Amino acid sequence: MALIVQKFGGTSVGDIDRIKAVAKRVKAEADNGNQVAVVVSAMAGVTNRLIGYVDEIASLHDGSEYDVVVSSGEQITSGLLALALQEIGLKARSLQGWQIPVNTDEAHGKARIQSIDTDRIKECFQRGEIVVVPGFQGITPDRRLATLGRGGSDTSAVALAAALGADRCDIYTDVEGIFTADPRIVAKAHKLDKITYEEMLEMASVGAKVLQTRAVEMGMKHGVRLQVLSAFNDKPGTLVVDEDEVVEQELVSGIAYSRDEAKVTLVRVADRPGVAARIFGPLSDAHVNVDMIVQNVSKDGKATDLTFTVTRGDLKRTIDILEKNKDDLGYEQLSSDENVVKVSVIGVGMRSHAGVAQRMFSSLAEKGINIQVISTSEIKVSVLIDEASTELAVRALHSAYGLDAE
Ligand code: ADP
Ligand code: ASP
Ligand code: MG
């Protein structure tokens, strides 16, 4: 008997008929004699609607109450799926994050899972029950509800698979697997049979939202057998594997983009030791993640311009913090731009091949696309460009690296 964690995303549980279809997929796995724990997302659109309600009342909101509101979408789906499973003759029980419990830290809105107690789930299994767990949610040390950040149900599923020592974690979604680029904007993208954990980690961290970054991190750390596949057909999906399981390594395995970017520029910041720490310290204390950073060389040795990016959701908080500290930081002017997108090229082959970045810059130049900020890692090059050029840039790069399907 195998133990399998299945996760179904928002579109896959988007309406009642789809929840009934999911129940049949779960039944098929149980009929094979397997123990099954199912992790579900909120029905498509629900989380956005809940966030909208919060924003209408308080744009700079209290994180703990935000989590009370936005974690509720998954609760609804978990109850509905448990009912759908019971209706087709299976024993099923939902367990909320606080009932299990799924323990997280206190970073409301982007909490990290610290541990999962599996006793109650195992008791359910002993009674022959299928367990349905709402993704995205957990409980903090002071017993407040917490959520794991957008796309966090993936992480719930992988963390649960790791805690249970599951044989497999199957992530069912609205595409057939992991592609060389988002198949919704690149028609010529093709499905990968396998991708390494490392590449998927980079792809996710630069915006390929097919898996949440932390889910990949956790799967890699705990050696979870992870695959992404369609909730709507039975085609084989994509396996996420260790590097030694991939026979032929492409130079570039994929192109990703993230629209969840905002650019902040501080004009004429004092050019002396300690200033960067004073700028980024308070942002880090407020759990704002700063991503790309460029600092110009100062012309006069006194002041310089500093540009960096944060997520759009963190922009208001960032501006608020920087304005409050203006006297201390001593910059002249603060400007921000939300019409930017980060486009990235990812591939482990970059380690051993030069010229990858150059090909990216020249392809974008050919299309007349201006690069605002650049950042690199061992297996990735990212650029920040005008949002209006997103599709053009991603498609051009997909062709330039020979990824287009014939
Ligand atoms: P779910 O609700 O099932 O979690 P998501 O919307 O979070 O689904 O993630 C699936 C989406 O990820 C796809 O619909 C697709 O548009 C997007 N996506 C972005 N990059 C990729 C990629 N490289 N491969 C597959 N899907 C991708
Ligand atoms: N419902 C949450 C979101 O939309 C979590 C998830 O779907 O993974 O971000
Ligand atoms: Mg998702």
Side-chain angles (χ1 to χ4, degrees):
M1 181 194 276
L3 200 167
I4 291 155
V5 173
Q6 295 182 307
K7 180 258 171 178
F8 294 90
T11 316
S12 317
V13 293
D15 59 34
I16 297 302
D17 283 340
R18 287 186 171 172
I19 291 176
K20 288 181 180 170
V22 164
K24 283 191 193 146
R25 269 187 192 278
V26 176
K27 184 175 188 304
E29 209 62 85
D31 285 349
N32 285 336
N34 297 320
Q35 278 181 331
V36 189
V38 192
V39 174
V40 286
S41 286
M43 295 162 79
V46 169
T47 307
N48 285 346
R49 197 165 75 231
L50 296 171
I51 293 173
Y53 293 154
V54 172
D55 282 345
E56 274 184 50
I57 291 185
S59 58
L60 279 174
H61 50 255
D62 172 77
S64 180
E65 297 306 338
Y66 166 95
D67 280 347
V68 171
V69 178
V70 304
S71 63
S72 63
E74 272 71 8
Q75 173 165 343
I76 296 170
T77 324
S78 66
L80 290 173
L81 180 60
L83 290 169
L85 289 165
Q86 291 170 2
E87 286 301 303
I88 54 173
L90 293 164
K91 287 204 229 168
R93 197 38 89 211
S94 68
L95 285 177
Q96 304 305 298
W98 62 271
Q99 290 172 308
I100 296 175
V102 175
N103 300 303
T104 70
D105 63 15
E106 279 164 341
H108 285 286
K110 45 181 126 170
R112 276 179 178 272
I113 295 178
Q114 307 287 24
S115 64
I116 298 180
D117 195 335
T118 55
D119 289 353
R120 276 193 83 166
I121 297 175
K122 285 180 180 156
E123 283 166 23
C124 290
F125 284 157
Q126 267 156 18
R127 289 193 294 268
E129 289 165 355
I130 288 166
V131 181
V132 186
V133 176
F136 189 47
Q137 52 166 258
I139 181 171
T140 67
D142 61 350
R143 297 207 279 159
R144 299 288 311 172
L145 293 176
T147 63
L148 310 180
R150 298 308 306 268
S153 297
D154 297 330
T155 304
S156 306
V158 177
L160 190 60
L164 287 168
D167 296 280
R168 253 173 36 222
C169 182
D170 296 342
I171 307 281
Y172 288 92
T173 185
D174 55 7
V175 288
E176 287 173 8
I178 299 163
F179 285 66
T180 46
D182 185 346
R184 297 198 191 287
I185 73 161
V186 182
K188 290 177 178 164
H190 63 271
K191 185 170 71 187
L192 301 163
D193 297 332
K194 289 179 180 174
I195 185 168
T196 66
Y197 265 111
E198 217 182 349
E199 283 171 315
M200 192 57 230
L201 190 61
E202 287 282 8
M203 291 254 275
S205 72
V206 292
K209 64 176 186 154
V210 61
L211 284 175
Q212 201 199 32
T213 310
R214 282 183 195 159
V216 188
E217 246 166 36
M218 197 159 305
M220 184 152 120
K221 186 166 158 206
H222 297 281
V224 174
R225 194 89 190 142
L226 185 62
Q227 64 172 330
V228 175
L229 62 176
S230 168
F232 305 120
N233 64 41
D234 294 319
K235 294 189 188 160
T238 304
L239 263 180
V240 189
V241 298
D242 289 327
E243 214 164 307
D244 53 13
E245 282 187 61
V246 177
V247 192
E248 247 179 82
Q249 203 66 68
E250 299 292 334
L251 177 61
V252 162
S253 53
I255 316 290
Y257 66 95
S258 164
R259 293 184 201 274
D260 189 15
E261 305 289 328
K263 184 176 76 167
V264 178
T265 301
L266 291 173
V267 179
R268 290 195 66 78
V269 184
D271 190 14
R272 59 181 142 76
V275 171
R278 286 227 298 282
I279 293 171
F280 296 121
L283 295 178
S284 145
D285 293 344
H287 300 293
V288 170
N289 289 327
V290 173
D291 180 20
M292 308 170 101
I293 304 176
V294 274
Q295 182 175 341
N296 292 337
V297 177
S298 68
K299 288 190 200 106
D300 53 8
K302 286 186 193 140
T304 172
D305 297 348
L306 183 74
T307 297
F308 59 91
T309 60
V310 295
T311 62
R312 287 185 193 173
D314 279 340
L315 182 61
K316 279 202 187 97
R317 207 176 291 276
T318 302
I319 293 175
D320 189 53
I321 292 168
L322 293 173
E323 281 178 347
K324 279 192 183 131
N325 291 311
K326 184 165 192 236
D327 290 342
D328 182 38
L329 301 174
Y331 59 85
E332 257 172 35
Q333 198 191 323
L334 186 165
S335 63
S336 66
D337 183 1
E338 287 186 88
N339 300 316
V340 289
V341 65
K342 182 171 69 176
V343 177
S344 309
V345 170
I346 303 101
V348 291
M350 274 181 217
R351 281 202 201 109
S352 46
H353 288 81
V356 174
Q358 181 48 36
R359 194 182 306 178
M360 180 180 204
F361 304 151
S362 52
S363 309
L364 295 175
E366 269 167 35
K367 300 283 175 195
I369 298 169
N370 186 40
I371 299 172
Q372 303 179 21
V373 186
I374 301 171
S375 71
T376 61
S377 79
E378 206 189 2
I379 64 165
K380 172 207 79 191
V381 187
S382 302
V383 295
L384 195 73
I385 60 169
D386 182 2
E387 190 183 11
S389 306
T390 311
E391 281 84 0
L392 181 64
V394 175
R395 287 178 197 144
L397 294 171
H398 198 266
S399 302
Y401 290 100
L403 296 172
D404 288 355
E406 273 90 57

